[in-house]
Amino acid sequence: MNALWLVPLLPLISAVILILGSAWLGRRAVAVLGVGSVGLAALLTARVVTAFLGSGEASTQVLWTWMAVGDFSVQVAAWFDGLTAVMMSVITGVGFLIHLYSARFMAEDDSYARYFAYLNLFVAAMLVLVMADNLLLLYLGWEGVGACSYLLVGFWYKDVANGAAARKAFIVTRVGDTAMALGLFLILAELGTLNIQSVLQLAPGHWATGDTMVVLATVLLLGGAVGKSAQLPLHTWLPDAMAGPTPVSALIHAATMVTAGVYLIARTHGLFLLAPTTLEIIAWLGVLTALLAACSALVQTDIKRILAWSTISQIGYMFLALGVGAFGAAIFHLVTHAFFKALLFLAAGAVIYCLHHEHNIFRMGGLRSRMPVTFVSFLLGASALAAIPFTSGFYSKDVILLAAWQHDPLLFVAGLCGAALTAFYSFRLLFVAFFGPAQQEPDRTIGWVMAVPLGLLCVGALAGGALTLPLTDVFPPAIGVVNHTIEYIAITVTLAAVGLAAWRYLRQRPDPASGGLREFWFAGWRVDALYELLWVRPYCWLAKRTQGEPVDHLYNGIVALARANHRTLSALQTGQLRWYATGMVFGLVVLLAVLMRAAL
Amino acid sequence: MLVTLLLVLLGGGLLCLALDRFRPEAARLVSLLTLVVAALILASLAPLGPASAGPGNAWLAYVQMPWIPRFGISIELGLDGLSFLLLVLTLALGFIAVSASWTEISFRPGLFQANLLWTLAGVVGVFLALDLFLFFVFWEIMLVPMYLLIAVWGHEARAHAAYKFFIFTQVSGLLMLLAILVLAWTARTTGQALSFSYFDLLGQAPTGQLGMAIMLGFFIAFAVKLPAFGVHTWLPDAHTQAPTAGSVLLAGILLKTGAYGLIRFVLPLFPESSLAFAPIALGLGVAGILYGAVLAFAQDDFKRLVAYSSVSHMGFVLLGLYAFNALAQRGAVVQLVAHGISTAALFMMAGALQQRLHTRDMRKMGGLWQQAPRMGACALFFAMASLGLPGLGNFVAEFMVLAGLFAEHPITAALAALGLVTAAIYSLSLIQRAFQGPDNDQAKIDDFGPRELTTMAVMAAALLWLGLYPQPVLDLARIAPPLSLSGLSP
């Protein structure tokens, strides 16, 4: 076993120690263990990735055979190629910064050890997800991160609403996971293996392009992806998931876990290329999600919910890229998004930390001069999110829009509208929270432990666009001619939207959401209410109706029948001679009648 | 050795009974010691050697001695991989049950332990018997002490629950006896002498309607025990009312005798009738999974919720057995073991809560995590196992069952997969209602002590092992081919 498997093992061991030793470990020890293990994992990742970049050879690392029955066999094994390298770097790198930030952000929490245990466990599961060489082990990581997400969303369990949000997150994504499991069964039944590389090799020979089975398999995998990545129609859990601590939102619900769906599709792109129908669905789902979520982000007042809707919207762009076959562009946007969205969440966390858990941006204001480090972070993060030229978000979004244009101009137009909305809501958030008159005074400072991650993520959000990801061996080339006109259109639209936001929110502070459309968007297009009506209520109604065990009516009926018979028959047992005599005579008459009839 | 194993358990029970008069507390120790001896005997029969050789595919031990030669009835016991696996589970959960009853049972502990050991003896006999008449005898032997465990040491509505349990099992057991007799009789007319031996009856079952009728006699008895949808209603009552150790034995082992009967007898003895019956069995499996899950979610009683989750989980076993697919069938056996452990743990949790709070009503719980984080963490772990989190044993089982079933009947598998969602709903609702939410001022409870924590840790480790390295179990989980008595110790 080389260093590769140590990467997920370190946070896993740390999580186990933290769980078992939570009663004995001091806060300092907890922080050192929790942060240090991920830091070490990040260093190891750097070593492994450097070695890989030197050789460029993809490799497999087998640990043991997980289960084998007859021809069916699954191993606990890792596959390391350029995509794995990118994902592992993001997870351990951004993950380490967020762990470090948490050390101070959560310092006053009673359950310090439990927090780091869950967070470490998440990192381990997420690493398994991206390292798995087969779909079943990937599924283990996939559900593992879901469970950690559940634990962390409901981390402050004393509030019933947090528990509800956590369960919603788990159950809604489980719906997608179940579809994905069926996809796995289908692939296994058709191809006889779950090993991803074998599947990609066998699929083109087994299925013709557009074969019903491959379309079905990819649609089922897509089900898992839309659940985990909070895309239509399973996106409803993510805004509620903001109930968790803010660093959790940064790590799980922005930078890493929610992008797992993008990773899954990119990882199995060979299957999706055989199913153009599914790709078309992905592109349209993505762009639709990007638009709808951007509209919702436009009217939110809770700083974290704005960012949550924005995450849904940005992953929509990644799906758009996947759908038009620009897999590399999707992963590129995944990486830059991890930088700037983690930055935005951590900056938002700093605001929340300093303002007594204030979430409403209309009760902030004027923070520009009071929290300069946070302001600069937020400014850079929002610029990257809005795709202002020369930030990382600009480069990654530009590639996606270009690919969309080459695939279908209609997709490009929709994507462009989304870009305008994105720029508008990003700067609305910035202007409302950081400019204008002060509403509250921050009562504490963030310290270097929180400032250093912000600073490093600022570098990532700014310069991340200059990265060249080692993905050329993984994906087929997608982009044809570079079209500068498209670029200029996008820049113009973005800057116009920023100007509009400045014009509207820098001069005065209009009231937050009111009015029909705004409330409709505020409530996320009322999809929640629809699901409540379609699924939740019928299920609860069914549960209430069946609570008393309807099947037992059958057996109770049998019992009642037996009792009734018993009562009737024992009523005949009166002890009175004349009744018995009457009965005997009656019986004799009947008997005689029967006999005579038979004789005749 | 097999006979000794049975005698040790029966004798240990007698000793406990004798001690009940003067040294009741010593009975627990005797019970524990008996189990240790039994475990040692079983260990001496363990299939050692390279797993690749497929030790589960041969008979590890076999014994036959005459009993009622006139009717061809003999004491015929055999141990193969499947039996061995289930015996390990039986004895392991026996330890758990003794641990669970350590402080809970104060009324006549000697008698209690005696009944516990006799139940175990009956179960061990069921897993070993290869003579169908002997099998029936053991089937009845495990019923009576279990009935007493519920009726004497149970909770508030114990009489009704015990009665219901007895009637359901007894009526279906009589159907099985009838089926056994008819089977032996019809097999005799084709052969010559009357025999109840499993090996003699293999391949002798009549086909057509008579075969179907005999098969149904067996199936109904096993379906009641499993339990399958429709004949499951004794289970929530019995599980809820039984003392903790009783619930552990019921859910952990007694339900498995039903599945074992299907694997060992129904499928091999009646291959054609079983195949014809498969659509109905699969339907019952899916119905059980979904119905059990909905009702589990509907319950307010902690134990009743766990009981209905058993109905749901055992639906997977039925699916795995009637998918007629090697992967699914192996998955069904893993499910037996995994469900045995995870449910036993949840019943222990329910018992521990009831001992502390004097209620099983989740409406009166909530917010317990603050006071009892260890209990909360354990409950969370086993709830996660119950909802099929990958990495734990139940996932391996459900994955294999569904994957195998999908290859044969995709639509049925898709319906059954809905159970993955419904399981998440009731499992998480259990955690929420018992442990999360605002601090509970009314309840002051102590967290798990060392004894309870150790028991839980052992079960958690077993589920992790089963979830990450199930291969040894998969290799064992096969029934040996008839009469291939090679590699037998004399």
Side-chain angles (χ1 to χ4, degrees):
Chain A
M1 188 173 85
N2 70 2
L4 185 58
W5 275 109
L6 270 181
V7 177
L9 200 60
L10 281 169
L12 182 66
I13 291 172
S14 162
V16 171
I17 296 175
L18 286 171
I19 289 169
L20 297 181
S22 57
W24 301 287
L25 290 169
R27 273 171 188 265
R28 219 182 161 72
V30 168
V32 167
L33 203 60
V35 180
S37 63
V38 180
L40 219 54
L43 287 178
L44 270 173
T45 305
R47 223 190 85 180
V48 174
V49 170
T50 320
F52 167 76
L53 291 179
S55 70
E57 295 271 318
S59 61
T60 312
Q61 287 278 328
V62 183
L63 280 191
W64 70 84
T65 298
W66 190 2
M67 43 184 121
V69 174
D71 297 335
F72 168 77
S73 167
V74 175
Q75 290 173 321
V76 176
W79 168 258
F80 192 90
D81 65 0
L83 183 56
T84 320
V86 170
M87 294 304 290
M88 283 178 72
S89 309
V90 170
I91 294 161
T92 55
V94 176
F96 167 67
L97 294 179
I98 294 174
H99 274 74
L100 180 63
Y101 176 98
S102 300
R104 181 173 174 117
F105 188 88
M106 298 297 287
E108 283 147 36
D109 201 280
D110 289 337
S111 308
Y112 202 50
R114 186 163 61 95
Y115 174 81
F116 275 107
Y118 290 169
L119 213 57
N120 281 176
L121 200 60
F122 167 79
V123 171
M126 190 72 205
L127 285 168
V128 170
L129 196 168
V130 298
M131 289 166 66
D133 93 323
N134 61 74
L135 288 167
L136 196 61
L137 189 62
L138 187 151
Y139 192 76
L140 183 144
W142 187 271
E143 288 258 292
V145 292
C148 294
S149 163
Y150 160 79
L151 294 172
L152 284 161
V153 171
F155 180 74
W156 288 310
Y157 59 85
K158 288 181 191 175
D159 190 339
V160 177
N162 294 350
R167 271 173 296 144
K168 183 173 172 185
F170 193 88
I171 291 164
V172 172
T173 49
R174 200 82 202 287
V175 173
D177 294 0
T178 304
M180 180 176 160
L182 290 173
L184 262 57
F185 302 152
L186 181 61
I187 290 170
L188 179 65
E190 290 270 322
L191 300 176
T193 178
L194 288 175
N195 183 296
I196 296 169
Q197 300 308 317
S198 313
V199 165
L200 296 185
Q201 268 170 17
L202 291 173
H206 189 81
W207 286 311
T209 305
D211 190 297
T212 323
M213 279 300 156
V214 72
V215 172
L216 191 60
T218 47
V219 164
L220 287 168
L221 290 183
L222 174 63
V226 296
K228 208 53 125 199
S229 289
Q231 298 292 290
L232 284 173
L234 295 178
H235 63 287
T236 57
W237 62 272
L238 188 62
D240 287 354
M242 295 298 116
T246 308
V248 169
S249 311
L251 179 61
I252 301 184
H253 304 117
T256 54
M257 184 190 84
V258 285
T259 55
V262 180
Y263 169 78
L264 173 70
I265 295 173
R267 178 51 91 197
T268 55
H269 66 277
L271 283 179
F272 284 83
L273 286 174
L274 292 174
T277 328
T278 317
L279 281 177
E280 203 68 17
I281 296 174
I282 294 174
W284 282 103
L285 261 186
V287 81
L288 201 63
T289 311
L291 278 174
L292 297 191
C295 289
S296 284
L298 213 55
V299 295
Q300 301 297 320
T301 54
D302 181 321
I303 189 168
K304 287 185 72 181
R305 282 182 95 89
I306 299 175
L307 294 178
W309 281 110
S310 144
T311 303
I312 298 176
S313 173
Q314 291 304 304
I315 299 173
Y317 277 103
M318 298 175 208
F319 271 64
L320 170 62
L322 294 170
V324 299
F327 303 106
I331 297 298
F332 188 29
H333 197 54
L334 187 159
V335 173
T336 60
H337 177 257
F339 290 139
F340 67 72
K341 193 50 71 66
L343 174 65
L344 281 169
F345 264 113
L346 292 190
V351 173
I352 294 166
Y353 178 80
C354 295
L355 288 186
H356 315 277
H357 304 286
E358 180 58 67
H359 280 222
N360 189 337
I361 55 169
F362 285 93
R363 273 184 259 143
M364 299 170 185
L367 296 172
R368 184 175 35 139
S369 50
R370 288 164 184 81
M371 302 179 67
V373 176
T374 312
F375 169 66
V376 171
S377 306
F378 218 101
L379 179 65
L380 290 175
S383 304
L385 172 59
I388 302 288
F390 310 116
T391 60
S392 61
F394 168 73
Y395 293 105
S396 54
K397 197 175 276 180
D398 192 46
V399 193
I400 295 177
L401 289 177
L402 190 60
W405 169 259
Q406 282 162 355
H407 187 81
D408 183 348
L410 210 55
L411 284 172
F412 166 75
V413 173
L416 198 64
C417 293
L421 289 169
T422 309
F424 186 84
Y425 72 67
S426 317
F427 279 85
R428 166 183 177 263
L429 170 56
L430 183 79
F431 294 147
V432 172
F434 288 89
F435 289 77
Q439 313 255 335
Q440 292 182 55
E441 286 299 322
D443 66 339
R444 50 182 171 178
T445 54
I446 55 174
W448 71 268
V449 172
M450 281 161 75
V452 165
L454 286 177
L456 288 173
L457 284 171
C458 280
V459 175
L462 255 187
L467 288 173
T468 314
L469 303 178
L471 296 174
T472 38
D473 291 342
V474 185
F475 301 125
I479 300 295
V481 217
V482 176
N483 186 338
H484 284 297
T485 321
I486 296 293
E487 208 164 80
Y488 298 144
I489 295 175
I491 294 174
T492 316
V493 166
T494 305
L495 291 179
V498 173
L500 200 65
W503 176 75
R504 186 161 163 75
Y505 290 100
L506 274 185
R507 294 179 311 144
Q508 83 233 25
R509 298 166 71 84
D511 273 347
S514 61
L517 187 61
R518 282 182 163 199
E519 272 169 27
F520 184 63
W521 283 353
F522 187 81
W525 303 70
R526 299 217 195 285
V527 178
D528 266 329
L530 182 70
Y531 287 174
E532 174 85 21
L533 208 67
L534 274 181
W535 307 111
V536 181
R537 280 205 211 146
Y539 194 77
C540 291
W541 175 85
L542 188 67
K544 206 150 197 77
R545 284 300 301 270
T546 51
Q547 190 181 20
E549 182 59 274
V551 175
D552 237 1
H553 293 327
L554 172 69
Y555 299 110
N556 290 339
I558 296 175
V559 171
L561 198 68
R563 283 229 174 97
N565 281 338
H566 142 86
R567 215 170 287 130
T568 319
L569 290 175
S570 47
L572 293 175
Q573 195 95 2
T574 56
Q576 286 174 319
L577 201 58
R578 60 171 181 270
W579 275 107
Y580 294 166
T582 318
M584 279 157 80
V585 170
F586 185 73
L588 272 175
V589 169
V590 172
L591 204 63
L592 275 174
V594 171
L595 281 175
M596 281 164 74
R597 202 185 142 78
L600 284 175
Chain B
M1 281 310 239
L2 299 179
V3 180
T4 325
L5 181 61
L6 281 166
L7 289 178
V8 163
L9 288 170
L10 289 170
L14 279 175
L15 200 57
C16 288
L17 184 63
L19 281 170
D20 188 46
R21 294 268 182 82
F22 4 84
R23 297 284 304 278
E25 63 291 351
R28 298 183 304 212
L29 279 176
V30 170
S31 186
L32 207 57
L33 220 64
T34 311
L35 284 172
V36 170
V37 174
L40 287 176
I41 294 174
L42 189 62
S44 75
L45 297 168
L48 298 173
S52 54
N57 220 6
W59 293 93
L60 303 166
Y62 175 82
V63 63
Q64 186 182 26
M65 42 182 132
W67 182 19
I68 314 173
R70 194 174 159 193
F71 297 118
I73 296 170
S74 63
I75 293 181
E76 188 181 18
L77 304 169
L79 182 76
D80 65 355
L82 178 70
S83 299
F84 180 80
L85 194 62
L86 291 170
L87 286 190
V88 171
L89 180 72
T90 306
L91 293 183
L93 289 182
F95 282 108
I96 305 281
V98 172
S99 164
S101 63
W102 205 260
T103 56
E104 191 186 82
I105 303 300
S106 49
F107 176 72
R108 304 202 59 181
L111 188 60
F112 182 88
Q113 298 295 343
N115 279 306
L116 204 74
L117 288 176
W118 289 335
T119 309
L120 289 177
V123 174
V124 168
V126 161
F127 288 147
L128 289 176
L130 288 176
D131 183 287
L132 264 68
F133 192 82
L134 184 67
F135 176 78
F136 177 76
V137 170
F138 282 123
W139 188 262
E140 296 292 308
I141 284 182
M142 69 180 179
L143 170 62
V144 179
M146 193 67 230
Y147 167 80
L148 288 175
L149 285 180
I150 302 172
V152 179
W153 289 274
H155 302 308
E156 64 284 348
R158 56 181 177 266
H160 177 252
Y163 194 44
K164 199 166 170 183
F165 165 71
F166 197 89
I167 300 269
F168 265 83
T169 320
Q170 187 67 358
V171 168
S172 61
L174 287 176
L175 279 178
M176 179 168 75
L177 177 63
L178 201 66
I180 290 175
L181 294 177
V182 175
L183 176 64
W185 190 259
T186 49
R188 187 193 76 113
T189 47
T190 53
Q192 53 290 82
L194 194 63
S195 167
F196 284 87
S197 169
Y198 173 67
F199 297 126
D200 292 343
L201 294 173
L202 269 177
Q204 300 296 320
T207 50
Q209 283 190 332
L210 182 61
M212 181 64 92
I214 304 175
M215 190 279 291
L216 279 179
F218 280 90
F219 180 82
I220 291 172
F222 298 142
V224 166
K225 262 293 193 320
L226 193 60
F229 173 74
V231 286
H232 65 276
T233 62
W234 62 272
L235 179 139
D237 287 331
H239 282 58
T240 309
Q241 296 301 327
T244 305
S247 306
V248 168
L249 289 191
L250 265 177
I253 322 171
L254 257 73
L255 303 190
K256 276 63 193 178
T257 59
Y260 173 82
L262 292 175
I263 303 173
R264 173 77 73 201
F265 297 110
V266 173
L267 295 177
L269 287 175
F270 311 97
E272 285 170 34
S273 312
S274 298
L275 197 58
F277 185 68
I280 299 175
L282 292 177
L284 288 174
V286 173
I289 290 173
L290 299 180
Y291 184 85
V294 172
L295 265 81
F297 174 64
Q299 304 307 315
D300 292 319
D301 184 316
F302 193 116
K303 270 183 118 173
R304 246 184 133 73
L305 190 158
V306 181
Y308 274 110
S309 82
S310 286
V311 176
S312 186
H313 285 141
M314 297 310 277
F316 282 102
V317 174
L318 211 50
L319 290 184
L321 296 183
Y322 280 89
F324 288 93
N325 174 294
L327 189 60
Q329 192 174 8
R330 219 66 72 78
V333 177
V334 179
Q335 177 78 334
L336 296 184
V337 181
H339 170 265
I341 299 167
S342 68
T343 307
L346 284 174
F347 275 126
M348 268 199 81
M349 183 63 63
L353 284 172
Q354 180 162 28
Q355 216 180 353
R356 288 162 168 81
L357 297 168
H358 307 288
T359 181
R360 301 185 306 269
D361 193 335
M362 288 187 290
R363 286 168 297 192
K364 294 178 190 156
M365 298 180 189
L368 296 177
W369 191 296
Q370 177 72 20
Q371 299 174 47
R374 288 179 201 159
M375 286 179 92
C378 290
L380 187 63
F381 182 90
F382 292 107
M384 284 290 168
S386 165
L387 65 77
L389 192 74
L392 304 176
N394 308 54
F395 169 75
V396 173
E398 284 165 20
F399 169 79
M400 290 174 81
V401 166
L402 289 176
L405 181 64
F406 190 91
E408 315 290 335
H409 310 276
I411 304 291
T412 316
L415 285 173
L418 288 178
L420 299 178
V421 179
T422 51
I425 296 176
Y426 68 71
S427 300
L428 298 184
S429 131
L430 174 78
I431 294 299
Q432 175 69 37
R433 298 179 70 186
F435 287 97
Q436 300 184 328
D439 278 351
N440 195 330
D441 301 331
Q442 279 132 28
K444 283 276 161 283
I445 65 170
D446 299 324
D447 208 347
F448 271 158
R451 175 180 59 85
E452 287 162 313
L453 210 54
T454 313
T455 318
M456 287 286 171
V458 169
M459 288 193 276
L463 280 182
L464 269 172
W465 174 60
L466 205 56
L468 293 174
Y469 188 58
Q471 202 55 40
V473 171
L474 292 177
D475 289 336
L476 280 175
R478 279 174 290 177
I479 61 173
L483 282 173
S484 108
L485 299 172
S486 54
L488 269 186
S489 50

